[in-house]
Amino acid sequence: MPDLIHLLPDSVANQIAAGEVVQRPASAVKELLENAIDAGADQITLVVRDAGKTYIQVIDTGKGMSETDTRMSFERHATSKINTAEDIFTLHTKGFRGEALASIAAVAQVELRTRPEDEELGTCLKIEGSTVKSQEFCNTPKGTRIEVKNLFYNIPARRNFLKSDNVELRHIIDEFQRVAIPHPDIHFTLINGKSELFDLPKAGLRQRIVNIFGKKFNEKLVPVDEKTPILKLHGFIGKPEFAKKTRGEQFFFANDRFIRNGYLHKAVCSAFEGLLQDGIHPTYFLFLEIDPARIDVNIHPTKTEIKFEDEKAIHIIIRTAVKHALGQYNIAPTLDFETDQQFNMPELPKGTAIEAPGITVDPTFNPFEDRRKGPRPVSISSNPSGSRPTQDWESLMNDLPELDAPTRQQEQIEIQETPTRKHFTQVGKKYILTSHGSGLIMIHQQRAHERICFERLMASLENKNIPSQQLLFPQNISFSASDFQVVQSLMPQLREMGFDIDEFGTHEVVVNGIPLTLESNDIQVVLDQLIENEKDFRGNEKEDHLQKMAQILAKVSAIKIGKKMEQEEMHHLVDELFACSSPYVSLNGKPVIINLNLEDIDKSFN
Ligand code: ADP
Ligand code: MG
């Protein structure tokens, strides 16, 4: 049999390695920024075009490289940072695997210019797909400038896998922030095409965070500071009242390297327990200083997942330190947070008493008679699907899964024989109760209204006919540079949804009109949430995207738990709910309507 095994050429091996290190433009950005920091730069400029797909440039003022090092730096496993495997355990640099430059050069066209301070001439090296095209002396400032063009030019499959420019730019901004936050002593700049997204002069940590996330952050931050034998912890947590619905700014750094660690995240969340409503996420910027021997950053090529030797102890330290910080700043729950429990009465244990809702009957009212006189005036928008006349919600209730057939028949007979106007009772400013034939139905008011707002919005989006209200006083809203970039990218969708919005000066918009369902007080809230969502949104589907935005708008617009509702309002809400195409499930897949039939009630009395 002939021999089959052969060694892969370097270029192929590098391309394969690149698959692990360079997944997208943002991963190249991360590696290049880290190299600049390791080189001791005090100023780092990142320039990207087309979200890094065609062009990435990093300029640093670091120590530069000699002629030979320049050539060596692109070899695989070529590094100046470690000599032996043990060195990993005393490491204070970002890089050490010596793979990044080799990987990037395997999948892009790279040009590097570099000069150490004590040399007069620098080196310029061009390399494409692992092949050196040229190396010559050149005039160049002290430090290093590296350009990465046409990433994945030689691997079309990977290039096609990249997401939209917005999504890829978002990834780049994420990486940029993760590097810029822990290094406030370095001046960072990020330029995308012609616009400068960030200019972060040297500053303290708090100022750096504020420069990145906007002035509003200053009042949100509470310092954390704890020293223990195994680790030092410092940084900031966000005051609970500023916590967000969407996972926003949550950063852990171990020895100034951004890390992800679900277990430590839980430690922070547990310290916030009782202070945050379900589904609200704390903000934190926490820095762990720990002996490198006690962590293993080597478990993943991108080095964001790390293992700690004493994870349990670290968990406790973090939890305690965060609690301590919260306590020191006298942050106690000031709001009466309602827990949003599911109303699940059929499961009641034996012997539990149910208080009957006081139902008064208006015998003069007959919904069917009403219909015969002609339809009640119902706005078109309240019946988005057009498929179900709102007045038929009584019959719709017959579809309720818990109702069995005999009950249903009895019920219809009953309604026709003793026509009464439905009476609604509001319980706990949260649920709407009404009798239903021989049973009882309970509706979660907030979820119901969210569902209604959402379906209305989706229907008008489909018809391209969004009702909008002009504001009497247009509102100007300013953003941080990166949030403004997100808002800019969202403009078409915002307009589609009924916002009359325009750019206005630097990092500012003016809102002249808003969707009909929205209140003017909620403009900032909804824009913030849409921005957060955008940062987290990694999908590519246009429909999913608009749907997610509509959900956010619906949730902000909807009637909340805790709102007292009058008879007419409840009547209207229930009408509209049953005109929806999915009245039973909330936007988060939870129940909106619960039915309790006579049998269930009887059972509870046994
Ligand atoms: P690693 O960072 O893991 O050592 P890289 O492939 O990222 O591997 O870089 C290889 C080597 O090139 C580094 O060890 C460093 O000596 C040198 N190098 C890379 N970028 C720079 C830079 N911006 N300034 C100075 N030296 C650099
Ligand atoms: Mg490196």
Side-chain angles (χ1 to χ4, degrees):
M1 180 176 169
D3 297 332
L4 300 174
I5 301 176
H6 56 95
L7 283 174
L8 288 174
D10 270 358
S11 57
V12 178
N14 284 339
Q15 259 193 27
I16 295 171
E20 287 193 15
V21 186
V22 191
Q23 277 113 21
R24 52 174 17 119
S27 5
V29 163
K30 169 181 189 280
E31 295 294 336
L32 299 179
L33 291 176
E34 289 189 348
N35 280 348
I37 292 170
D38 285 345
D42 62 357
Q43 187 158 0
I44 300 176
T45 305
L46 166 65
V47 181
V48 296
R49 279 182 219 142
D50 306 312
K53 289 173 184 171
T54 59
Y55 189 82
I56 301 167
Q57 174 181 238
V58 174
I59 308 166
D60 72 52
T61 54
K63 64 174 181 260
M65 280 183 268
S66 70
E67 192 193 346
T68 323
D69 278 356
T70 306
R71 179 65 198 84
M72 275 296 283
S73 66
F74 286 94
E75 292 295 329
R76 202 138 63 97
H77 308 304
T79 180
S80 56
K81 298 168 193 173
I82 59 170
N83 289 309
T84 68
E86 280 77 54
D87 291 348
I88 294 177
F89 301 106
T90 54
L91 201 71
H92 286 280
T93 53
K94 310 266 168 220
F96 59 85
R97 298 169 67 110
E99 284 177 328
L101 290 187
S103 299
I104 293 169
V107 295
Q109 297 151 347
V110 176
E111 183 174 330
L112 183 135
R113 300 160 85 82
T114 183
R115 180 173 72 83
E117 192 161 26
D118 54 5
E119 308 268 344
E120 225 163 83
L121 278 179
T123 312
C124 175
L125 178 104
K126 290 185 186 161
I127 179 165
E128 276 183 37
S130 300
T131 310
V132 175
K133 294 286 174 189
S134 69
Q135 174 161 2
E136 52 204 31
F137 291 113
C138 65
N139 274 313
T140 186
K142 176 210 159 202
T144 302
R145 188 189 90 178
I146 182 162
E147 288 172 298
V148 175
K149 291 178 202 158
N150 304 320
L151 195 66
F152 302 134
Y153 78 100
N154 51 356
I155 320 180
R158 307 215 54 194
R159 206 173 52 227
N160 295 338
F161 168 81
L162 294 178
K163 300 271 166 74
S164 68
D165 281 8
N166 278 336
V167 172
E168 293 301 337
L169 183 61
R170 200 54 244 162
H171 282 288
I172 289 177
I173 292 174
D174 282 349
E175 294 296 353
F176 176 83
Q177 292 179 345
R178 289 168 186 171
V179 170
I181 295 168
H183 297 284
D185 50 341
I186 300 176
H187 184 160
F188 283 94
T189 313
L190 167 53
I191 295 162
N192 170 44
K194 288 196 178 109
S195 58
E196 181 182 272
L197 295 184
F198 293 94
D199 182 34
L200 310 171
K202 290 184 198 190
L205 178 59
R206 179 188 274 270
Q207 189 59 45
R208 171 61 47 101
I209 294 173
V210 170
N211 287 345
I212 294 178
F213 297 103
K215 279 195 212 93
K216 285 177 272 176
F217 256 74
N218 201 16
E219 51 169 336
K220 296 185 190 180
L221 301 176
V222 175
V224 176
D225 207 350
E226 208 74 46
K227 291 187 180 61
T228 75
I230 20 178
L231 117 135
K232 281 191 216 155
L233 180 70
H234 78 280
F236 297 95
I237 49 169
K239 292 181 188 166
E241 62 263 39
F242 294 107
K244 291 185 177 177
K245 270 234 162 83
T246 37
R247 220 164 273 254
E249 285 71 47
Q250 300 181 334
F251 295 88
F252 265 122
F253 301 92
N255 297 339
D256 293 340
R257 179 200 296 285
F258 172 80
I259 59 159
R260 284 173 219 282
N261 187 309
Y263 184 61
L264 300 189
H265 168 73
K266 286 207 182 94
V268 179
C269 293
S270 74
F272 272 89
E273 227 162 58
L275 294 167
L276 296 181
Q277 224 175 337
D278 262 7
I280 304 284
H281 303 281
T283 295
Y284 57 84
F285 303 87
L286 292 174
F287 294 77
L288 286 65
E289 263 176 72
I290 189 163
D291 178 354
R294 286 176 183 269
I295 51 179
D296 182 0
V297 289
N298 200 19
I299 55 172
H300 193 264
T302 60
K303 305 179 223 88
T304 51
E305 318 258 337
I306 72 168
K307 273 203 305 237
F308 294 94
E309 204 178 87
D310 330 87
E311 212 169 37
K312 277 218 170 94
I314 296 175
H315 185 285
I316 294 169
I317 294 168
I318 290 178
R319 185 186 144 96
T320 316
V322 172
K323 278 197 155 195
H324 187 205
L326 286 168
Q328 232 179 5
Y329 283 79
N330 271 334
I331 299 159
T334 46
L335 293 167
D336 178 18
F337 292 121
E338 295 214 46
T339 43
D340 191 4
Q341 278 168 344
Q342 188 178 321
F343 206 178
N344 231 347
M345 281 167 81
E347 298 298 325
L348 281 181
K350 264 196 174 176
T352 313
I354 302 173
E355 210 181 302
I359 295 179
T360 47
V361 173
D362 174 4
T364 59
F365 181 75
N366 176 351
F368 295 92
E369 207 173 78
D370 198 15
R371 191 152 36 144
R372 266 178 254 124
K373 282 187 208 139
R376 215 161 355 135
V378 177
S379 65
I380 297 162
S381 60
S382 70
N383 185 10
S385 61
S387 56
R388 289 181 166 176
T390 50
Q391 289 87 349
D392 273 355
W393 66 266
E394 296 260 7
S395 67
L396 258 157
M397 278 194 227
N398 295 330
D399 299 341
L400 285 169
E402 285 100 323
L403 275 175
D404 46 26
T407 326
R408 214 179 298 162
Q409 276 168 10
Q410 270 174 18
E411 207 270 305
Q412 273 172 353
I413 295 162
E414 208 175 306
I415 284 187
Q416 281 167 11
E417 282 174 355
T418 50
T420 52
R421 183 183 180 169
K422 282 279 166 205
H423 181 89
F424 298 92
T425 304
Q426 197 190 17
V427 178
K429 293 194 189 149
K430 194 170 178 182
Y431 301 110
I432 297 171
L433 262 62
T434 187
S435 70
H436 161 52
S438 51
L440 184 66
I441 67 162
M442 300 175 283
I443 295 171
H444 190 292
Q445 69 184 45
Q446 180 171 339
R447 290 179 192 168
H449 200 225
E450 286 174 3
R451 163 61 61 191
I452 294 165
C453 292
F454 172 71
E455 290 206 6
R456 251 193 228 175
L457 209 59
M458 288 310 286
S460 356
L461 278 171
E462 229 164 77
N463 306 335
K464 303 238 176 298
N465 174 24
I466 301 282
S468 168
Q469 46 178 330
Q470 284 306 110
L471 291 176
L472 208 48
F473 304 103
Q475 283 192 22
N476 284 22
I477 303 179
S478 62
F479 299 93
S480 69
S482 67
D483 283 359
F484 183 69
Q485 180 263 326
V486 179
V487 174
Q488 272 179 316
S489 74
L490 282 179
M491 287 291 194
Q493 289 92 330
L494 288 171
R495 292 191 183 120
E496 225 175 304
M497 291 171 65
F499 283 94
D500 179 352
I501 184 170
D502 277 304
E503 287 182 31
F504 186 86
T506 12
H507 306 160
E508 211 173 306
V509 296
V510 56
V511 181
N512 294 305
I514 53 178
L516 205 56
T517 50
L518 195 70
E519 302 225 348
S520 59
N521 293 345
D522 289 332
I523 299 176
Q524 175 95 49
V525 177
V526 84
L527 288 179
D528 281 349
Q529 288 194 19
L530 289 170
I531 290 170
E532 283 306 312
N533 169 62
E534 198 58 21
K535 291 180 190 168
D536 287 344
F537 191 77
R538 294 291 184 257
N540 240 356
E541 297 294 324
K542 186 170 177 274
E543 266 170 42
D544 287 359
H545 190 207
L546 219 51
Q547 190 161 329
K548 190 79 223 298
M549 290 178 69
Q551 282 194 5
I552 290 170
L553 186 56
K555 284 185 177 183
V556 174
S557 309
I559 290 171
K560 303 289 180 299
I561 281 174
K563 182 185 184 296
K564 189 175 175 321
M565 293 182 73
E566 301 301 333
Q567 261 323 290
E568 270 314 306
E569 287 176 292
M570 291 193 275
H571 208 288
H572 194 63
L573 183 115
V574 175
D575 268 357
E576 289 198 282
L577 178 63
F578 281 100
C580 287
S581 59
S582 316
Y584 305 109
V585 266
S586 79
L587 300 184
N588 297 333
K590 294 197 171 164
V592 177
I593 304 166
I594 299 239
N595 180 56
L596 205 57
N597 64 28
L598 197 56
E599 229 170 83
D600 296 324
I601 301 176
D602 285 344
K603 259 191 243 157
S604 316
F605 282 98
N606 277 335

